[in-house]
Amino acid sequence: MTEQPTHISGTQLPPGERAPEFTLPATPDQRLSLAEMSGRPVILAFYPADWSPVCGDEMSLFNEVLPEFHKYGAQLVGISTDGVWCHAAFAAERKLHFPLLADFEPKGEVARRYGVYRAADGIAERALFVIDAEGIIRWSYVSALGINPGADGILEALESLSVPSSAEGAAS
Amino acid sequence: MTRGIPPLAGDDHLQGPSDAVVTLVEYGDYECPYCGEAYPVLKAVQRAMGPDLRFVFRNFPLVDMHVHARRAAEFAEAAAETGAFWDAHDMLFENQGALDDRSLAAYGDRLGIEPASIAAAFAGKHDSKIERDFLGGVRGGVNGTPCLFIDGLRYEGPRDVESLVNALRAVARQRL
């Protein structure tokens, strides 16, 4: 965990944009689409790779914070370019209670649509999106690859979703 | 985006004088190997800082990863009832490989903690305190364990004695 400036690629889809639709494998025989999750807030957590050694381990942290996300009615999904079998082993080992989606073929297609694909490395950025019940991105954040962003930003975003915004008006 | 960790509260576990110049808060998990590695380092940091440092331990058990983490935290909170929190804290970190219920009972015996008090802890007596520690940490930007905060700001530097003492001294100098 060395000190690094926060990397903001500047290319990730910003708040206010409609979240691009996708359908990705969640298990070897099940697929999950964003549309299926509509009506509730969705947290998309893009990450570089299963088994990657970010200290503190982001997915395990989110797993522990899951009950808190659920208090806001939010669903969490992890997305990386790993395949379903790799995801299955990783989720079982870490006892993850949320789906991991395989952005495997065409590789990184969904990460690309969200502006968080690192073409040179063939992996997704460590990026977070909070999408509201209507499918609008309300918060996005790209962390330095080696830095676990923690869950505080997600919780703040979820909190602001549940507070009716007076100044902004309706987003759609 | 971080709103900061909660300020010191009456049920926090503290070491060091109340008028210490600088406060180091650790969010830790008794079964986390990295917390185990940090344990002797933090002891050395406390020795080096002497009365200038106040040290606080808050619970951040990652219970899906570490099957004994919750019980260990409950055990330490039970120990706190008899004023033996830090003895329990040290015993847990010094025996990280043996945190099953039977081992915890044996540590309780050694520290003179009533079995009933441990049983009450296992039944959930201190759950709200542990959850408050955990959620306060999450809200304040804890992103793994151990997570260290110097006067409320997350410390991102290397976790060796010299780096930590330098960071703490730098903050202390601003205070004086």
Side-chain angles (χ1 to χ4, degrees), chain A:
Chain A
M1 224 161 88
T2 50
E3 234 167 318
Q4 291 178 41
T6 301
H7 167 80
I8 303 289
S9 69
T11 57
Q12 85 265 23
L13 291 183
E17 295 267 330
R18 175 158 289 281
E21 178 54 41
F22 60 79
T23 301
L24 286 175
T27 69
D29 52 11
Q30 280 179 309
R31 296 169 78 80
L32 184 64
S33 66
L34 185 62
E36 284 172 68
M37 296 185 278
S38 73
R40 298 162 64 185
V42 175
I43 306 155
L44 298 184
F46 288 91
Y47 63 100
D50 292 342
W51 313 105
S52 69
V54 168
C55 50
D57 205 275
E58 189 184 2
M59 290 304 122
S60 293
L61 176 74
F62 290 174
N63 197 40
E64 305 278 354
V65 183
L66 212 49
E68 204 56 22
F69 295 153
H70 289 164
K71 283 184 196 162
Y72 294 94
Q75 305 178 77
L76 169 68
V77 292
I79 305 180
S80 79
T81 55
D82 298 284
V84 283
W85 295 107
C86 185
H87 272 342
F90 179 62
E93 212 263 346
R94 298 292 169 108
K95 304 192 186 93
L96 301 182
H97 307 299
F98 60 91
L100 298 180
L101 305 183
D103 196 10
F104 184 71
E105 183 57 42
K107 190 181 182 191
E109 177 62 27
V110 175
R112 249 181 259 269
R113 268 187 251 160
Y114 279 79
V116 293
Y117 188 65
R118 295 170 73 96
D121 304 310
I123 55 174
E125 299 273 10
R126 196 175 297 288
L128 300 171
F129 293 88
V130 170
I131 299 165
D132 69 15
E134 282 75 46
I136 305 298
I137 294 170
R138 299 294 293 267
W139 181 76
S140 62
Y141 182 79
V142 176
S143 183
L145 214 53
I147 300 266
N148 178 345
D152 52 318
I154 297 173
L155 289 172
E156 274 186 39
L158 291 174
E159 203 165 67
S160 66
L161 285 190
S162 47
V163 177
S165 54
S166 49
E168 291 172 43
S172 47

Side-chain angles (χ1 to χ4, degrees), chain B:
Chain B
M1 66 181 189
T2 292
R3 65 177 83 185
I5 53 170
L8 296 189
D11 60 357
D12 268 321
H13 306 297
L14 319 164
Q15 273 183 329
S18 58
D19 61 347
V21 244
V22 58
T23 301
L24 176 65
V25 177
E26 176 188 10
Y27 281 87
D29 168 325
Y30 294 108
E31 202 176 1
C32 158
Y34 304 106
C35 298
E37 274 172 30
Y39 165 72
V41 171
L42 295 173
K43 286 275 183 217
V45 167
Q46 285 183 277
R47 278 195 298 275
M49 293 295 293
D52 288 344
L53 178 69
R54 184 152 47 152
F55 179 60
V56 178
F57 183 89
R58 286 178 175 164
N59 297 293
F60 204 84
L62 298 171
V63 299
D64 278 304
M65 248 200 301
H66 303 134
V67 290
H68 304 112
R70 184 188 299 274
R71 287 269 166 116
E74 289 166 350
F75 172 81
E77 292 298 332
E81 292 181 324
T82 54
F85 173 80
W86 291 102
D87 294 327
H89 165 277
D90 293 1
M91 195 165 271
L92 293 168
F93 277 130
E94 285 163 22
N95 297 278
Q96 264 202 323
L99 298 177
D100 55 292
D101 287 3
R102 187 185 291 249
S103 301
L104 294 181
Y107 306 148
D109 272 351
R110 255 192 270 172
L111 296 175
I113 303 161
E114 287 296 324
S117 163
I118 298 174
F122 287 177
K125 184 174 179 188
H126 308 289
D127 281 4
S128 64
K129 148 81 171 149
I130 294 168
E131 189 174 327
R132 208 161 56 245
D133 277 3
F134 184 86
L135 286 176
V138 169
R139 290 290 190 160
V142 171
N143 58 357
T145 53
C147 202
L148 303 175
F149 290 81
I150 296 176
D151 279 5
L153 286 179
R154 193 167 78 196
Y155 173 76
E156 304 274 11
R159 286 197 294 258
D160 60 89
V161 180
E162 198 190 348
S163 307
L164 275 162
V165 168
N166 286 342
L168 289 163
R169 290 239 178 266
V171 173
R173 269 197 300 278
Q174 293 166 11
R175 294 273 175 281
L176 292 172

